[in-house]
Amino acid sequence: MQDTALEIIEQHAGEGARLREEFFAARGAALREAALRAAVCLASGGKILFCGNGGSAATALHLTAEFVNRFSMDRPALPAIALSADAVSLTAIGGDLDFSQIFSRQVEALGRPGDMLVGICACGGSANVAAALEAAQRNGLLALCLSAPGGDLARLCDIALETPQTSLALTHELHLAAGHLFCRLTDYYLFENVVALTPYLQGRHTTEV
Protein backbone atom coordinates (compact mmCIF):
# COMPACT_ATOMS: atom_id res chain seq x y z
CA MET A 1 0.00 0.00 0.00
CA GLN A 2 1.33 3.42 -0.95
CA ASP A 3 2.15 5.75 1.95
CA THR A 4 0.10 8.95 1.47
CA ALA A 5 0.89 10.52 4.84
CA LEU A 6 2.67 13.53 3.30
CA GLU A 7 -0.31 14.18 1.05
CA ILE A 8 -2.62 14.10 4.08
CA ILE A 9 -0.36 16.60 5.86
CA GLU A 10 -0.26 18.90 2.84
CA GLN A 11 -4.02 18.77 2.39
CA HIS A 12 -4.71 19.46 6.08
CA ALA A 13 -2.20 22.33 6.20
CA GLY A 14 -3.49 23.89 3.00
CA GLU A 15 -7.14 23.66 4.01
CA GLY A 16 -6.34 25.03 7.46
CA ALA A 17 -4.47 28.01 6.04
CA ARG A 18 -7.31 28.78 3.61
CA LEU A 19 -9.92 28.59 6.36
CA ARG A 20 -7.92 30.84 8.69
CA GLU A 21 -7.70 33.54 6.04
CA GLU A 22 -11.40 33.21 5.23
CA PHE A 23 -12.45 33.26 8.88
CA PHE A 24 -10.35 36.24 9.96
CA ALA A 25 -11.31 38.24 6.85
CA ALA A 26 -15.00 37.65 7.57
CA ARG A 27 -14.99 37.92 11.37
CA GLY A 28 -12.02 40.19 12.11
CA ALA A 29 -14.21 43.17 13.02
CA ALA A 30 -16.30 41.04 15.39
CA LEU A 31 -13.13 39.64 17.00
CA ARG A 32 -11.79 43.17 17.49
CA GLU A 33 -15.09 44.18 19.09
CA ALA A 34 -15.03 41.15 21.38
CA ALA A 35 -11.54 42.03 22.59
CA LEU A 36 -12.51 45.65 23.18
CA ARG A 37 -15.51 44.57 25.20
CA ALA A 38 -13.40 42.07 27.17
CA ALA A 39 -10.90 44.82 27.95
CA VAL A 40 -13.71 47.09 29.17
CA CYS A 41 -15.09 44.24 31.28
CA LEU A 42 -11.71 43.64 32.94
CA ALA A 43 -10.87 47.35 33.31
CA SER A 44 -14.22 47.80 35.08
CA GLY A 45 -13.50 45.07 37.62
CA GLY A 46 -15.30 42.23 35.84
CA LYS A 47 -14.17 38.74 34.89
CA ILE A 48 -14.40 36.39 31.93
CA LEU A 49 -16.06 32.98 32.18
CA PHE A 50 -15.33 30.26 29.61
CA CYS A 51 -17.27 27.07 28.88
CA GLY A 52 -17.29 24.24 26.35
CA ASN A 53 -17.51 20.45 26.01
CA GLY A 54 -14.81 17.94 25.08
CA GLY A 55 -12.13 19.57 22.94
CA SER A 56 -13.88 22.91 23.48
CA ALA A 57 -13.55 22.39 27.25
CA ALA A 58 -9.81 22.06 26.68
CA THR A 59 -9.83 25.30 24.68
CA ALA A 60 -11.75 26.98 27.50
CA LEU A 61 -9.11 25.85 30.01
CA HIS A 62 -6.30 26.91 27.69
CA LEU A 63 -7.66 30.43 27.21
CA THR A 64 -8.44 30.82 30.91
CA ALA A 65 -4.78 30.10 31.66
CA GLU A 66 -3.68 32.73 29.12
CA PHE A 67 -5.65 35.38 31.00
CA VAL A 68 -4.82 34.27 34.54
CA ASN A 69 -1.11 33.83 33.80
CA ARG A 70 0.01 35.64 30.63
CA PHE A 71 -0.23 35.41 26.86
CA SER A 72 2.57 37.25 25.04
CA MET A 73 3.49 40.09 27.39
CA ASP A 74 4.32 40.51 31.04
CA ARG A 75 1.30 42.12 32.69
CA PRO A 76 -0.89 41.72 35.79
CA ALA A 77 -2.94 38.55 36.19
CA LEU A 78 -6.44 38.90 34.75
CA PRO A 79 -9.54 37.23 36.26
CA ALA A 80 -10.92 34.34 34.22
CA ILE A 81 -12.67 31.09 35.16
CA ALA A 82 -13.17 27.90 33.14
CA LEU A 83 -16.59 26.49 34.06
CA SER A 84 -15.52 23.07 32.78
CA ALA A 85 -12.73 22.80 35.38
CA ASP A 86 -14.71 21.98 38.55
CA ALA A 87 -15.52 18.27 38.34
CA VAL A 88 -17.38 18.30 41.67
CA SER A 89 -19.77 21.06 40.63
CA LEU A 90 -20.21 19.59 37.15
CA THR A 91 -21.17 16.16 38.47
CA ALA A 92 -23.33 17.55 41.26
CA ILE A 93 -25.32 19.72 38.86
CA GLY A 94 -25.51 16.98 36.25
CA GLY A 95 -26.65 14.43 38.84
CA ASP A 96 -29.10 16.55 40.82
CA LEU A 97 -30.47 18.68 37.99
CA ASP A 98 -29.49 17.94 34.40
CA PHE A 99 -26.35 17.91 32.23
CA SER A 100 -27.80 20.76 30.18
CA GLN A 101 -27.48 23.00 33.25
CA ILE A 102 -23.85 22.30 34.20
CA PHE A 103 -22.68 25.68 32.89
CA SER A 104 -25.79 27.84 33.32
CA ARG A 105 -25.96 27.01 37.02
CA GLN A 106 -22.38 28.23 37.45
CA VAL A 107 -23.11 31.38 35.45
CA GLU A 108 -25.96 32.09 37.88
CA ALA A 109 -23.65 31.52 40.85
CA LEU A 110 -20.47 33.23 39.63
CA GLY A 111 -21.52 35.72 36.96
CA ARG A 112 -22.22 39.35 37.74
CA PRO A 113 -23.55 42.16 35.54
CA GLY A 114 -20.68 43.46 33.42
CA ASP A 115 -18.85 40.12 33.31
CA MET A 116 -18.36 38.25 30.01
CA LEU A 117 -19.17 34.64 29.12
CA VAL A 118 -17.37 32.97 26.23
CA GLY A 119 -19.20 29.85 25.05
CA ILE A 120 -17.14 27.57 22.79
CA CYS A 121 -18.90 24.94 20.70
CA ALA A 122 -17.23 23.21 17.76
CA CYS A 123 -20.38 21.26 16.86
CA GLY A 124 -22.48 24.44 16.74
CA GLY A 125 -25.35 23.60 19.09
CA SER A 126 -24.58 22.06 22.51
CA ALA A 127 -27.58 22.44 24.82
CA ASN A 128 -25.48 23.25 27.89
CA VAL A 129 -23.53 26.01 26.09
CA ALA A 130 -26.81 27.45 24.78
CA ALA A 131 -28.27 27.42 28.31
CA ALA A 132 -25.15 29.16 29.63
CA LEU A 133 -25.43 31.92 27.02
CA GLU A 134 -29.12 32.38 27.87
CA ALA A 135 -28.25 32.59 31.59
CA ALA A 136 -25.55 35.13 30.81
CA GLN A 137 -27.99 37.40 29.01
CA ARG A 138 -30.60 37.06 31.77
CA ASN A 139 -28.01 38.03 34.39
CA GLY A 140 -26.45 41.01 32.61
CA LEU A 141 -23.28 39.38 31.28
CA LEU A 142 -21.97 40.02 27.79
CA ALA A 143 -22.35 36.80 25.78
CA LEU A 144 -19.76 35.79 23.19
CA CYS A 145 -19.66 32.49 21.32
CA LEU A 146 -17.12 30.68 19.19
CA SER A 147 -19.25 28.28 17.19
CA ALA A 148 -19.64 26.30 13.99
CA PRO A 149 -22.30 26.64 11.27
CA GLY A 150 -25.60 24.87 11.63
CA GLY A 151 -26.37 25.63 15.27
CA ASP A 152 -28.44 28.37 16.87
CA LEU A 153 -25.90 29.79 19.33
CA ALA A 154 -25.40 33.00 17.34
CA ARG A 155 -28.91 34.23 18.18
CA LEU A 156 -28.15 33.86 21.90
CA CYS A 157 -25.02 36.03 21.75
CA ASP A 158 -24.10 39.68 21.75
CA ILE A 159 -21.11 38.79 19.56
CA ALA A 160 -20.84 35.58 17.50
CA LEU A 161 -17.66 34.27 15.90
CA GLU A 162 -18.90 31.52 13.60
CA THR A 163 -16.31 29.54 11.67
CA PRO A 164 -16.72 28.41 8.04
CA GLN A 165 -18.08 24.91 7.39
CA THR A 166 -15.23 22.42 7.80
CA SER A 167 -14.15 19.33 9.72
CA LEU A 168 -14.41 19.19 13.49
CA ALA A 169 -10.62 19.10 13.84
CA LEU A 170 -10.13 22.26 11.79
CA THR A 171 -12.96 23.98 13.64
CA HIS A 172 -11.13 23.36 16.92
CA GLU A 173 -7.94 24.78 15.36
CA LEU A 174 -9.78 27.89 14.18
CA HIS A 175 -11.33 28.38 17.61
CA LEU A 176 -7.93 28.19 19.30
CA ALA A 177 -6.44 30.63 16.77
CA ALA A 178 -9.34 33.02 17.36
CA GLY A 179 -8.95 32.56 21.13
CA HIS A 180 -5.27 33.41 20.96
CA LEU A 181 -6.03 36.62 19.07
CA PHE A 182 -8.80 37.37 21.56
CA CYS A 183 -6.19 37.18 24.34
CA ARG A 184 -3.62 39.18 22.39
CA LEU A 185 -6.04 41.97 21.46
CA THR A 186 -7.50 42.18 24.96
CA ASP A 187 -3.97 42.72 26.28
CA TYR A 188 -3.41 45.28 23.51
CA TYR A 189 -6.42 47.36 24.53
CA LEU A 190 -5.73 47.07 28.25
CA PHE A 191 -2.02 47.84 28.18
CA GLU A 192 -1.03 49.34 24.80
CA ASN A 193 -4.02 51.28 23.45
CA VAL A 194 -6.05 52.25 26.52
CA VAL A 195 -7.43 55.35 24.79
CA ALA A 196 -9.56 53.09 22.56
CA LEU A 197 -11.55 52.05 25.63
CA THR A 198 -12.69 55.61 26.46
CA PRO A 199 -15.94 55.58 24.42
CA TYR A 200 -16.92 52.27 26.02
CA LEU A 201 -16.11 53.33 29.56
CA GLN A 202 -18.05 56.57 29.06
CA GLY A 203 -21.02 54.82 27.48
CA ARG A 204 -20.65 56.47 24.09
CA HIS A 205 -19.99 53.37 21.99
CA THR A 206 -22.79 52.44 19.57
CA THR A 207 -21.14 50.23 16.92
CA GLU A 208 -22.96 46.97 16.16
CA VAL A 209 -21.32 43.78 14.88
Side-chain angles (χ1 to χ4, degrees):
M1 179 178 178
Q2 183 180 3
D3 188 341
T4 60
L6 293 179
E7 294 176 16
I8 294 171
I9 292 169
E10 183 179 2
Q11 181 181 3
H12 183 91
E15 178 69 0
R18 182 187 67 79
L19 287 167
R20 280 169 64 102
E21 289 188 0
E22 180 182 336
F23 173 67
F24 288 121
R27 305 305 297 159
L31 181 56
R32 173 185 177 273
E33 177 76 6
L36 272 165
R37 301 288 287 275
V40 171
C41 162
L42 296 168
S44 302
K47 60 186 173 297
I48 303 176
L49 309 178
F50 290 91
C51 69
N53 299 288
S56 296
T59 300
L61 285 163
H62 182 133
L63 298 179
T64 297
E66 306 286 23
F67 278 94
V68 172
N69 184 30
R70 67 188 296 277
F71 182 62
S72 61
M73 66 166 64
D74 291 324
R75 42 83 167 152
L78 298 173
I81 301 171
L83 302 182
S84 54
D86 184 350
V88 176
S89 291
L90 292 175
T91 53
I93 297 165
D96 293 343
L97 301 175
D98 188 79
F99 189 77
S100 65
Q101 298 181 51
I102 60 171
F103 299 136
S104 60
R105 191 72 167 170
Q106 293 185 77
V107 171
E108 293 168 3
L110 302 172
R112 298 292 180 268
D115 288 349
M116 173 183 276
L117 172 72
V118 181
I120 308 171
C121 184
C123 69
S126 294
N128 53 18
V129 176
L133 294 169
E134 290 175 329
Q137 297 227 333
R138 284 197 309 270
N139 289 277
L141 286 73
L142 185 78
L144 165 67
C145 70
L146 278 167
S147 65
D152 61 352
L153 297 184
R155 68 176 180 83
L156 304 174
C157 298
D158 297 291
I159 303 173
L161 297 172
E162 190 174 82
T163 59
Q165 186 68 51
T166 185
S167 68
L168 186 63
L170 286 172
T171 296
H172 281 300
E173 291 179 23
L174 286 171
H175 284 176
L176 184 56
H180 279 164
L181 273 174
F182 177 63
C183 296
R184 173 67 184 93
L185 293 174
T186 301
D187 282 354
Y188 168 74
Y189 285 118
L190 280 173
F191 303 105
E192 298 178 71
N193 189 11
V194 180
V195 69
L197 302 184
T198 302
Y200 292 78
L201 295 171
Q202 296 180 348
R204 294 188 282 108
H205 180 73
T206 58
T207 300
E208 296 182 357
V209 297

Short mmCIF file of all heavy atoms in Angstrom, two decimals, residues 147-177:
data_model
loop_
_atom_site.label_atom_id
_atom_site.label_comp_id
_atom_site.label_asym_id
_atom_site.label_seq_id
_atom_site.Cartn_x
_atom_site.Cartn_y
_atom_site.Cartn_z
N SER A 147 -18.40 29.41 17.56
CA SER A 147 -19.25 28.28 17.19
C SER A 147 -19.00 27.87 15.75
O SER A 147 -18.20 28.47 15.03
CB SER A 147 -20.72 28.64 17.39
OG SER A 147 -21.11 29.67 16.50
N ALA A 148 -19.71 26.81 15.35
CA ALA A 148 -19.64 26.30 13.99
C ALA A 148 -20.98 26.52 13.30
O ALA A 148 -21.99 26.75 13.97
CB ALA A 148 -19.30 24.81 14.01
N PRO A 149 -21.03 26.46 11.98
CA PRO A 149 -22.30 26.64 11.27
C PRO A 149 -23.30 25.54 11.62
O PRO A 149 -22.93 24.45 12.03
CB PRO A 149 -21.90 26.56 9.79
CG PRO A 149 -20.44 26.80 9.76
CD PRO A 149 -19.91 26.26 11.05
N GLY A 150 -24.56 25.87 11.47
CA GLY A 150 -25.60 24.87 11.63
C GLY A 150 -26.29 24.87 12.98
O GLY A 150 -27.34 24.25 13.14
N GLY A 151 -25.74 25.55 13.97
CA GLY A 151 -26.37 25.63 15.27
C GLY A 151 -27.14 26.93 15.42
O GLY A 151 -27.26 27.72 14.49
N ASP A 152 -27.67 27.15 16.63
CA ASP A 152 -28.44 28.37 16.87
C ASP A 152 -27.82 29.24 17.95
O ASP A 152 -28.48 30.10 18.52
CB ASP A 152 -29.88 28.02 17.24
CG ASP A 152 -29.97 27.18 18.52
OD1 ASP A 152 -28.91 26.75 19.02
OD2 ASP A 152 -31.09 26.96 18.99
N LEU A 153 -26.53 29.03 18.25
CA LEU A 153 -25.90 29.79 19.33
C LEU A 153 -25.79 31.27 19.00
O LEU A 153 -25.84 32.11 19.90
CB LEU A 153 -24.52 29.21 19.65
CG LEU A 153 -24.47 27.77 20.17
CD1 LEU A 153 -23.05 27.39 20.53
CD2 LEU A 153 -25.40 27.59 21.35
N ALA A 154 -25.62 31.60 17.73
CA ALA A 154 -25.40 33.00 17.34
C ALA A 154 -26.54 33.89 17.81
O ALA A 154 -26.31 35.04 18.22
CB ALA A 154 -25.22 33.11 15.84
N ARG A 155 -27.77 33.39 17.79
CA ARG A 155 -28.91 34.23 18.18
C ARG A 155 -28.95 34.48 19.69
O ARG A 155 -29.68 35.36 20.16
CB ARG A 155 -30.22 33.59 17.72
CG ARG A 155 -30.57 32.30 18.44
CD ARG A 155 -31.92 31.75 18.02
NE ARG A 155 -32.23 30.51 18.73
CZ ARG A 155 -32.75 30.49 19.96
NH1 ARG A 155 -33.03 31.63 20.60
NH2 ARG A 155 -33.02 29.34 20.55
N LEU A 156 -28.18 33.71 20.45
CA LEU A 156 -28.15 33.86 21.90
C LEU A 156 -27.02 34.76 22.36
O LEU A 156 -26.85 34.96 23.56
CB LEU A 156 -28.00 32.49 22.57
CG LEU A 156 -29.06 31.45 22.21
CD1 LEU A 156 -28.70 30.10 22.83
CD2 LEU A 156 -30.44 31.90 22.66
N CYS A 157 -26.24 35.30 21.42
CA CYS A 157 -25.02 36.03 21.75
C CYS A 157 -25.13 37.51 21.43
O CYS A 157 -25.86 37.91 20.53
CB CYS A 157 -23.84 35.46 20.95
SG CYS A 157 -23.49 33.76 21.32
N ASP A 158 -24.33 38.29 22.14
CA ASP A 158 -24.10 39.68 21.75
C ASP A 158 -23.11 39.74 20.60
O ASP A 158 -23.23 40.58 19.71
CB ASP A 158 -23.56 40.48 22.95
CG ASP A 158 -24.55 40.52 24.10
OD1 ASP A 158 -25.59 41.18 23.95
OD2 ASP A 158 -24.28 39.87 25.13
N ILE A 159 -22.12 38.86 20.62
CA ILE A 159 -21.11 38.79 19.56
C ILE A 159 -20.91 37.32 19.22
O ILE A 159 -20.66 36.50 20.11
CB ILE A 159 -19.77 39.41 19.99
CG1 ILE A 159 -19.96 40.87 20.43
CG2 ILE A 159 -18.74 39.33 18.86
CD1 ILE A 159 -18.72 41.51 21.02
N ALA A 160 -21.02 36.97 17.94
CA ALA A 160 -20.84 35.58 17.50
C ALA A 160 -19.66 35.50 16.53
O ALA A 160 -19.58 36.27 15.58
CB ALA A 160 -22.10 35.07 16.84
N LEU A 161 -18.78 34.56 16.79
CA LEU A 161 -17.66 34.27 15.90
C LEU A 161 -17.88 32.88 15.35
O LEU A 161 -17.51 31.88 15.96
CB LEU A 161 -16.33 34.35 16.66
CG LEU A 161 -15.97 35.73 17.24
CD1 LEU A 161 -14.73 35.62 18.12
CD2 LEU A 161 -15.75 36.74 16.14
N GLU A 162 -18.55 32.80 14.21
CA GLU A 162 -18.90 31.52 13.60
C GLU A 162 -17.88 31.17 12.53
O GLU A 162 -17.62 31.96 11.63
CB GLU A 162 -20.30 31.58 13.00
CG GLU A 162 -20.84 30.25 12.56
CD GLU A 162 -22.29 30.33 12.12
OE1 GLU A 162 -22.52 30.72 10.95
OE2 GLU A 162 -23.19 30.05 12.93
N THR A 163 -17.34 29.97 12.62
CA THR A 163 -16.31 29.54 11.67
C THR A 163 -16.96 29.05 10.37
O THR A 163 -18.14 28.71 10.35
CB THR A 163 -15.48 28.40 12.26
OG1 THR A 163 -16.34 27.30 12.57
CG2 THR A 163 -14.75 28.85 13.50
N PRO A 164 -16.20 29.00 9.27
CA PRO A 164 -16.72 28.41 8.04
C PRO A 164 -16.99 26.91 8.24
O PRO A 164 -16.48 26.29 9.16
CB PRO A 164 -15.58 28.61 7.03
CG PRO A 164 -14.70 29.65 7.63
CD PRO A 164 -14.83 29.51 9.11
N GLN A 165 -17.80 26.35 7.34
CA GLN A 165 -18.08 24.91 7.39
C GLN A 165 -16.80 24.12 7.09
O GLN A 165 -16.13 24.34 6.09
CB GLN A 165 -19.14 24.55 6.35
CG GLN A 165 -19.61 23.10 6.42
CD GLN A 165 -20.41 22.82 7.69
OE1 GLN A 165 -21.34 23.56 7.99
NE2 GLN A 165 -20.02 21.78 8.41
N THR A 166 -16.45 23.22 7.99
CA THR A 166 -15.23 22.42 7.80
C THR A 166 -15.28 21.21 8.73
O THR A 166 -16.31 20.95 9.37
CB THR A 166 -13.97 23.26 8.07
OG1 THR A 166 -12.81 22.48 7.76
CG2 THR A 166 -13.89 23.74 9.51
N SER A 167 -14.20 20.48 8.82
CA SER A 167 -14.15 19.33 9.72
C SER A 167 -14.07 19.78 11.17
O SER A 167 -13.69 20.92 11.47
CB SER A 167 -12.92 18.48 9.39
OG SER A 167 -11.72 19.18 9.74
N LEU A 168 -14.44 18.87 12.06
CA LEU A 168 -14.41 19.19 13.49
C LEU A 168 -13.00 19.55 13.94
O LEU A 168 -12.81 20.49 14.72
CB LEU A 168 -14.94 18.00 14.29
CG LEU A 168 -15.12 18.22 15.79
CD1 LEU A 168 -16.15 19.29 16.07
CD2 LEU A 168 -15.54 16.90 16.46
N ALA A 169 -12.00 18.83 13.44
CA ALA A 169 -10.62 19.10 13.84
C ALA A 169 -10.19 20.50 13.45
O ALA A 169 -9.59 21.24 14.26
CB ALA A 169 -9.68 18.07 13.21
N LEU A 170 -10.51 20.92 12.24
CA LEU A 170 -10.13 22.26 11.79
C LEU A 170 -10.94 23.34 12.49
O LEU A 170 -10.44 24.44 12.72
CB LEU A 170 -10.26 22.38 10.27
CG LEU A 170 -9.16 21.66 9.47
CD1 LEU A 170 -9.48 21.66 7.98
CD2 LEU A 170 -7.79 22.28 9.72
N THR A 171 -12.18 23.02 12.86
CA THR A 171 -12.96 23.98 13.64
C THR A 171 -12.29 24.24 14.98
O THR A 171 -12.17 25.39 15.41
CB THR A 171 -14.39 23.46 13.86
OG1 THR A 171 -15.06 23.35 12.61
CG2 THR A 171 -15.19 24.40 14.76
N HIS A 172 -11.84 23.18 15.64
CA HIS A 172 -11.13 23.36 16.92
C HIS A 172 -9.87 24.21 16.71
O HIS A 172 -9.55 25.08 17.55
CB HIS A 172 -10.73 22.01 17.51
CG HIS A 172 -11.84 21.29 18.20
ND1 HIS A 172 -12.50 21.81 19.30
CD2 HIS A 172 -12.42 20.08 17.96
CE1 HIS A 172 -13.42 20.96 19.71
NE2 HIS A 172 -13.40 19.90 18.91
N GLU A 173 -9.15 23.99 15.63
CA GLU A 173 -7.94 24.78 15.36
C GLU A 173 -8.28 26.24 15.13
O GLU A 173 -7.57 27.14 15.61
CB GLU A 173 -7.20 24.20 14.16
CG GLU A 173 -6.58 22.83 14.42
CD GLU A 173 -5.86 22.26 13.21
OE1 GLU A 173 -5.46 23.05 12.32
OE2 GLU A 173 -5.71 21.02 13.13
N LEU A 174 -9.36 26.51 14.40
CA LEU A 174 -9.78 27.89 14.18
C LEU A 174 -10.19 28.56 15.48
O LEU A 174 -9.89 29.73 15.73
CB LEU A 174 -10.94 27.93 13.19
CG LEU A 174 -10.61 27.67 11.72
CD1 LEU A 174 -11.89 27.51 10.91
CD2 LEU A 174 -9.77 28.81 11.15
N HIS A 175 -10.90 27.81 16.34
CA HIS A 175 -11.33 28.38 17.61
C HIS A 175 -10.13 28.74 18.49
O HIS A 175 -10.12 29.78 19.16
CB HIS A 175 -12.25 27.40 18.34
CG HIS A 175 -13.63 27.34 17.78
ND1 HIS A 175 -14.59 26.47 18.23
CD2 HIS A 175 -14.22 28.06 16.78
CE1 HIS A 175 -15.71 26.65 17.55
NE2 HIS A 175 -15.50 27.61 16.66
N LEU A 176 -9.12 27.88 18.50
CA LEU A 176 -7.93 28.19 19.30
C LEU A 176 -7.19 29.39 18.72
O LEU A 176 -6.72 30.26 19.47
CB LEU A 176 -7.01 26.98 19.37
CG LEU A 176 -5.77 27.14 20.27
CD1 LEU A 176 -6.18 27.52 21.69
CD2 LEU A 176 -4.95 25.86 20.28
N ALA A 177 -7.09 29.47 17.39
CA ALA A 177 -6.44 30.63 16.77
C ALA A 177 -7.19 31.91 17.10
O ALA A 177 -6.59 32.94 17.44
CB ALA A 177 -6.35 30.44 15.26
#
